[in-house]
């Protein structure tokens, strides 16, 4: 899908200069990513064959800046410390993506929540120099229900893709709780959409399409925007 198909009516400051090139960059991110129908991946597939989140996160941050975003909400913290610079990519540690610290580096107001105490601890430690980032242990759906600010970028990376669980349903519920708080324009990024026939976005992507979102790319992550 080329940028000519992304006819966004940006209300904050008019159509942003440079957005076309960013959209073009995002639409090709998944061209080399392998898609898996299954849930469980071997070590070889996970570490060496699967696409990595870093390129999606960095491109999404560019798009966030282009729409003059102010608030990022992340449901599901980073789970592995970043041992290198934000702009660097190391395949030995970047399978997680280090999302929380990448969002925090934007200077935007970042709220990140997770029910896993260890993930919260890692994210807090990694983002301790960023006063613009709030990390807390909380249920994602409950947090979104009570959230009062407007959201410019919603990152969904919570319930793990596990057999017999409602991971796909829960990501839809999270979006529905966030929906009244989403600014216009807004960006939604979903992790792990390259496994299990859509993974965390399996049920959510049709909902987003029905709500008028443009799905810019589907791969390791999915990036969608609504104007």
């Amino acid at each position: 899908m080329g940028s000519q198909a992304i006819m966004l009516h940006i209300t904050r400051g008019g159509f942003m200069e440079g957005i076309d090139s960013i959209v073009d960059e995002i639409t090709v991110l998944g061209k080399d990513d392998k898609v898996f129908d299954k849930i469980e991946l071997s070590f070889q597939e996970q570490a060496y064959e699967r696409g990595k989140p870093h390129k999606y996160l960095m491109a999404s941050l560019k798009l966030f800046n282009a729409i003059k975003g102010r608030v990022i909400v992340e449901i599901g913290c980073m789970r592995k410390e970043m041992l290198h610079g934000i702009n660097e990519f190391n395949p030995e540690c970047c399978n997680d993506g280090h999302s929380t610290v990448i969002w925090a580096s934007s200077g935007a107001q970042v709220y990140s929540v997770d029910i896993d105490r260890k993930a919260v601890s890692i994210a807090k430690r990694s983002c301790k120099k960023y006063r613009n980032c709030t990390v807390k242990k909380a249920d994602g759906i409950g947090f979104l229900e009570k959230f009062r600010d407007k959201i410019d970028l919603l990152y969904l990376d919570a319930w793990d893709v596990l057999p017999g669980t409602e991971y796909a349903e829960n990501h839809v519920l999270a979006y529905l709780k966030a929906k009244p708080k989403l600014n216009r324009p807004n960006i939604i990024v979903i992790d792990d959409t390259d496994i299990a026939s859509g993974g965390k976005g399996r049920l959510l992507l049709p909902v987003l399409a029905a709500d008028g979102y443009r799905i810019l790319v589907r791969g390791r992550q999915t990036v969608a925007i609504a104007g």
Side-chain angles (χ1 to χ4, degrees):
M1 183 187 300
S3 61
Q4 67 273 12
I6 312 301
M7 301 300 294
L8 296 174
H9 299 285
I10 306 298
T11 57
R12 278 177 277 167
F15 194 87
M16 305 304 301
E17 291 184 8
I19 198 171
D20 286 354
S21 62
I22 299 169
V23 166
D24 284 340
E25 178 183 341
I26 290 173
T27 58
V28 299
L29 287 177
K31 67 182 179 65
D32 296 323
D33 281 6
K34 187 173 180 178
V35 176
F36 302 87
D37 292 332
K38 58 187 179 179
I39 290 180
E40 297 181 3
L41 304 182
S42 68
F43 175 78
Q44 173 70 26
E45 289 169 329
Q46 182 72 37
Y48 299 107
E49 298 179 23
R50 195 179 185 195
K52 299 296 183 283
H54 185 268
K55 60 184 179 181
Y56 294 91
L57 297 170
M58 299 303 291
S60 296
L61 201 53
K62 283 186 184 180
L63 190 59
F64 173 79
N65 289 331
I67 66 170
K68 298 188 182 300
R70 187 179 63 84
V71 175
I72 297 172
V73 172
E74 171 181 77
I75 306 302
C77 297
M78 63 187 288
R79 300 199 171 193
K80 190 170 184 179
E81 291 190 60
M82 180 183 285
L83 304 176
H84 51 76
I86 287 174
N87 292 311
E88 298 176 40
F89 172 75
N90 184 336
E92 293 184 7
C93 77
C94 288
N95 194 57
D96 170 81
H98 317 300
S99 56
T100 314
V101 73
I102 288 176
W103 303 137
S105 73
S106 68
Q109 188 61 54
V110 177
Y111 300 92
S112 180
V113 300
D114 202 300
I115 61 169
D116 186 284
R117 193 176 302 278
K118 182 179 179 180
V120 169
S121 177
I122 289 171
K124 281 185 175 181
R125 186 164 60 248
S126 299
C127 297
K128 61 183 178 181
K129 71 176 181 179
Y130 296 108
R131 295 190 176 184
N132 57 305
C133 183
T134 300
V135 181
K136 63 184 299 184
K137 184 179 182 296
D139 170 73
I141 292 173
F143 176 83
L144 288 168
E145 188 172 29
K146 296 176 182 177
F147 193 70
R148 292 291 175 261
D149 205 348
K150 283 292 187 180
I151 302 169
D152 300 295
L153 189 153
L154 176 65
Y155 183 62
L156 297 173
D157 184 23
W159 301 270
D160 290 336
V161 181
L162 296 173
T165 67
E166 296 184 343
Y167 62 87
E169 291 83 353
N170 285 332
H171 282 93
V172 174
L173 289 175
Y175 163 70
L176 293 176
K177 292 297 183 184
K179 186 176 176 179
K181 298 98 186 273
L182 291 168
N183 223 332
R184 289 288 176 154
N186 70 77
I187 302 160
I188 294 182
V189 184
I190 312 165
D191 194 27
D192 296 318
T193 56
D194 60 336
I195 56 175
S197 301
K200 295 175 181 177
R202 178 171 57 85
L203 298 179
L204 178 54
L205 291 180
V207 175
L208 294 182
D211 282 351
Y213 280 82
R214 300 284 185 174
I215 309 300
L216 302 184
V217 66
R218 289 183 63 175
R220 170 63 188 266
Q221 295 191 344
T222 291
V223 181
I225 187 168

